[in-house]
Amino acid sequence: MHQTHSFTEQVAVCAERLAESGVAALGGLFDLTSQRLVRYATTLTQNQHDAEDAVQAAMVQVAKGLHRFCRAEQPWPYLLRMVRNEALQIARRKKRWTLTTNLTDLFTCRLVDELEIEETHRAVWSALRSLPSTQAEVVVLKIWEEMTLAQIAEILNVSPDTVASRYRYAMQKLTHKLDPVEMKVHRA
Amino acid sequence: MPEFGNKFEQDHSDFAQLESIVQAAGGYVQPTVDLRPKTLEAARTACRQRRTNIRLGSLAVFVLFLAATGVPEFFFSSNLGPAFVQSSDLHHRATRSAVKGNVGTNWALYEVFSEFRREQAELLHHAD
């Protein structure tokens, strides 16, 4: 939770810099948030190219409405909402839901000493893609963004109960697709 | 929602192992190399476009303001101005004409009015 808090603070600092320096400071915000935004958008669009288009569109919106972004009480959830809206628009336009388990579009980071666990990572991403996007995004926000149910509910504009049930269903499905014990043995 | 959150965490502690596996895969996907320059260039272009639009908009508003206030003012001052001559001016001109031409005041006033109406007719003719 401490990590999330400090990340949120870092985004707030970036927003302050944007307010002071204008669009010249957008690079800092991009460097800080792009990886998180792309992986979140990828779960919504089911395609990394579309996800990057969504992130780019959201960043352009930030640049065009700097004052709105800088005045936001919580810039990080605000940015996530912007990316979510762009990603959903793109997903609706392109309708690539048939490629849900195909991972060929992903641009991945693979360290030499992590070669052994790459299969695990691929299995996780593949399993996430098999979930409905409404459930997958809750998993992403809860586990990768370390957000609380209330924070997720605010971003998705649904009740915390709905978030909890989506998370429970998603985790049950993931448990079937990814056997935690086997994975743990594999990772060890 | 602290109570709800705590209950949720207790109910789902059995997902902890799975959560750690998913957590580990968080850094697997990275943005492509060209996303950064592409995004920053698009943002700069959008800002330039927005500034240009704002300037053009301001210019259009200024021109409309000039058109709304300046043009009628121009017509009233240049074309229709002489139509609003004070009667005292006409009497003054008639007096001068009477002295200069050695004619009666009434006749001089008649000539001044005739001259004034001719000027008005010419202005209206030019306006058409």
Side-chain angles (χ1 to χ4, degrees):
Chain A
M1 198 59 223
H2 174 69
Q3 265 189 343
T4 307
H5 189 63
S6 67
F7 181 78
T8 306
E9 282 179 350
Q10 285 173 39
V11 177
V13 169
C14 271
E16 283 171 19
R17 282 188 198 143
L18 273 170
E20 288 165 6
S21 315
V23 75
L26 194 67
L29 181 70
F30 181 90
D31 293 338
L32 185 64
T33 60
S34 61
Q35 197 265 333
R36 288 167 181 256
L37 293 176
V38 166
R39 75 182 176 192
Y40 174 50
T42 303
T43 60
L44 294 168
T45 59
Q46 310 278 5
N47 181 287
Q48 185 167 349
H49 306 300
D50 293 340
E52 293 193 351
D53 287 346
V55 171
Q56 181 178 327
M59 286 286 174
V60 169
Q61 289 299 323
V62 167
K64 282 161 85 174
L66 269 182
H67 295 294
R68 252 198 323 274
F69 176 72
C70 298
R71 275 203 307 264
E73 275 183 33
Q74 295 174 315
W76 175 230
Y78 185 82
L79 190 57
L80 281 171
R81 268 197 301 273
M82 289 177 81
V83 169
R84 181 174 188 265
N85 291 339
E86 296 292 342
L88 290 177
Q89 276 181 25
I90 290 173
R92 275 187 211 115
R93 273 203 305 269
K94 298 206 171 176
K95 294 194 185 296
R96 282 186 173 150
W97 303 113
T98 50
L99 299 174
T100 49
T101 53
N102 190 337
L103 300 181
T104 51
D105 59 287
L106 296 183
F107 183 80
T108 56
C109 168
R110 186 177 59 189
L111 300 175
V112 175
D113 57 347
E114 286 182 347
L115 284 174
E116 288 177 2
I117 59 168
E118 190 197 356
E119 277 307 308
T120 310
H121 294 341
R122 291 185 72 80
V124 169
W125 273 89
S126 191
L128 276 175
R129 283 201 168 178
S130 69
L131 297 177
S133 61
T134 50
Q135 293 174 10
E137 67 177 334
V138 172
V139 173
V140 169
L141 293 174
K142 178 82 173 68
I143 298 180
W144 288 340
E145 301 309 330
E146 298 178 344
M147 289 182 156
T148 63
L149 296 176
Q151 288 171 327
I152 296 170
E154 201 175 323
I155 289 173
L156 306 185
N157 204 20
V158 295
S159 72
D161 288 335
T162 307
V163 173
S165 67
R166 283 181 188 175
Y167 185 70
R168 191 173 58 247
Y169 285 129
M171 293 307 277
Q172 283 168 354
K173 287 178 189 171
L174 287 178
T175 307
H176 288 298
K177 290 175 190 298
L178 307 165
D179 183 357
V181 177
E182 193 181 315
M183 291 274 182
K184 188 140 190 173
V185 171
H186 199 254
R187 287 175 68 206
Chain B
M1 307 285 294
E3 299 88 5
F4 183 83
N6 291 339
K7 188 173 180 298
F8 178 85
E9 297 299 339
Q10 284 166 9
D11 289 349
H12 295 83
S13 57
D14 50 331
F15 290 139
Q17 203 176 344
L18 182 59
E19 282 176 352
S20 69
I21 290 169
V22 175
Q23 175 74 46
Y28 183 58
V29 170
Q30 298 290 322
T32 51
V33 182
D34 63 336
L35 179 62
R36 188 181 197 275
K38 216 167 57 177
T39 302
L40 296 184
E41 184 54 36
R44 274 193 285 268
T45 305
C47 282
R48 271 198 298 271
Q49 185 67 43
R50 190 165 177 268
R51 273 198 298 271
T52 308
N53 288 346
I54 288 171
R55 281 178 193 154
L56 283 177
S58 307
L59 189 66
V61 168
F62 181 67
V63 168
L64 279 174
F65 176 76
L66 279 185
T69 59
V71 172
E73 177 70 19
F74 173 76
F75 276 110
F76 278 117
S77 63
S78 61
N79 293 354
L80 303 177
F84 303 106
V85 174
Q86 298 284 327
S87 63
S88 58
D89 289 341
L90 291 176
H91 281 285
H92 190 64
R93 278 164 65 179
T95 309
R96 273 190 302 178
S97 178
V99 171
K100 207 181 207 177
N102 198 19
V103 292
T105 315
N106 289 343
W107 181 252
L109 195 58
Y110 168 77
E111 281 189 332
V112 165
F113 264 103
S114 299
E115 179 69 20
F116 176 61
R117 281 170 186 157
R118 195 165 49 248
E119 283 172 9
Q120 279 187 321
E122 278 177 17
L123 281 174
L124 284 173
H125 180 69
H126 286 309
D128 290 340

